[in-house]
Amino acid sequence: MKERTIPIPATSATEATPFDDGALYDLFCERIDFDLNFYLGLARAAGGPVLDVACGTGRILLPCLKAGVDVEGLDLFPNMLARLRQKAAAPGFEPKLYEANMAGFRLTRRYALILIAFNAFVHNLTTEDQLATLNACRAHLLPGGLLVFDTAFPGPQWIAQPSGTREMEMEIAHPETGRPVRMWDTRTFDRVKQLQYSFNEIEMLDATGQVVATHPSKTIIRWIYKAEMELLLRAAGFARWQILGGFDGRPLERETDAMIVKAWTAPDAKDETTG
């Protein structure tokens, strides 16, 4: 559903984000599972500890725990981690969680697998932050370790759409009241800087369909092209990589594909970079 075209106000670092309230975030995202089998399969096969970067409220991390994976989590937003701890406690788990920026974390442990799920890598808004995230992940991987993350490929169906159009992305029934909850997104684009600005609104409706509460927030993401991604991986010192078009392992060939990145560290002390 589309509505009127409206401008998005300027964004500041102090404004609300969709990640400030873990319970509100879970209303829409907790049951998303299109990528779960992919990441869970990698975690089970890792043969060593796993780090879930931008773990959020545990959409991937909790199933990994239940599968017996040695997994830890890292996220920038304390309320997301608090929600995760609460959910993990119900089945008796106490996961090791770190509050840190993906572009600047320093932990004492190294991992066989690091994952960054659900398009979270695109919250790195500069080349410096992209490289810092990749370098931090590589530094925390064991020899031969694997970094995996997914992003949306910036095809024209996404970045060529009109700016400033308010669209309803999802409507669900509230799990407690059964009343409608709607999520709206108004996007504008800076196509030179490869940035998307989103003004998000979550609306709570009453039994008559009237809006009784609105939760606004804003985000900025930066999209990445395939060749650009390859340069970033090379500059970050990964030994080899694959860039796929879907979770089924197909190559990235179509503008409508996703972009799934798999990058490995060298199996020994040598730091050779090859495509």
Side-chain angles (χ1 to χ4, degrees), residues 102 116 118-126 130 149-152 158 194-195 220-224 229 259:
M102 73 173 86
I116 311 174
F118 204 30
N119 209 29
F121 186 82
V122 298
H123 292 286
N124 291 300
L125 303 183
T126 66
Q130 291 168 341
F149 58 95
D150 63 279
T151 74
W158 168 24
Q194 297 174 212
L195 295 176
I220 309 173
I221 63 173
R222 180 181 176 183
W223 62 81
I224 309 165
M229 184 68 77
M259 187 155 60

Side-chain angles (χ1 to χ4, degrees), residues 30-226:
E30 186 174 40
R31 292 176 292 277
I32 292 174
D33 63 359
F34 67 93
D35 56 352
L36 178 58
N37 288 338
F38 174 79
Y39 284 114
L40 184 56
L42 289 173
R44 283 172 162 161
V50 176
L51 180 65
D52 184 355
V53 172
C55 62
T57 63
R59 190 178 63 85
I60 303 295
L61 190 146
L62 286 172
C64 287
L65 284 174
K66 292 174 183 177
V69 175
D70 178 7
V71 60
E72 300 177 346
L74 181 147
D75 201 279
L76 178 62
F77 295 93
N79 289 336
M80 299 289 273
L81 294 175
R83 173 76 172 177
L84 171 49
R85 289 189 182 95
Q86 179 187 45
K87 291 162 62 176
F93 295 116
E94 295 183 13
K96 186 77 172 179
L97 303 176
Y98 306 94
E99 183 184 332
N101 191 321
M102 73 173 86
F105 68 94
R106 296 182 66 181
L107 309 178
T108 58
R109 199 177 192 192
R110 298 177 78 187
Y111 302 89
L113 170 68
I114 296 178
L115 63 94
I116 311 174
F118 204 30
N119 209 29
F121 186 82
V122 298
H123 292 286
N124 291 300
L125 303 183
T126 66
T127 301
E128 290 75 17
D129 282 347
Q130 291 168 341
L131 285 172
T133 294
L134 293 174
N135 280 317
C137 290
R138 184 177 58 82
H140 287 81
L141 283 169
L142 293 165
L146 172 62
L147 168 66
V148 184
F149 58 95
D150 63 279
T151 74
F153 183 78
Q157 78 283 355
W158 168 24
I159 64 171
Q161 63 181 288
S163 283
T165 300
R166 187 176 188 251
E167 296 193 33
M168 189 171 69
E169 294 203 324
M170 196 181 308
E171 178 177 322
I172 63 168
H174 194 285
E176 296 176 3
T177 67
R179 294 173 180 170
V181 184
R182 294 173 179 168
M183 180 169 62
W184 298 84
D185 190 1
T186 306
R187 300 175 180 176
T188 61
F189 302 93
D190 185 329
R191 297 182 178 91
V192 173
K193 295 181 179 179
Q194 297 174 212
L195 295 176
Q196 173 190 295
Y197 299 82
S198 284
F199 177 49
N200 311 109
E201 300 164 279
I202 294 178
E203 293 179 340
M204 306 290 191
L205 281 64
D206 65 15
T208 67
Q210 298 298 308
V211 176
V212 294
T214 302
H215 302 271
S217 62
K218 296 179 183 178
T219 57
I220 309 173
I221 63 173
R222 180 181 176 183
W223 62 81
I224 309 165
Y225 293 93
K226 181 174 183 283

Side-chain angles (χ1 to χ4, degrees), residues 138 234-239 264-274:
R138 184 177 58 82
R234 183 180 296 274
F238 281 92
W264 290 265
T265 57
D268 52 33
K270 295 173 66 177
D271 193 17
E272 298 177 354
T273 304
T274 58

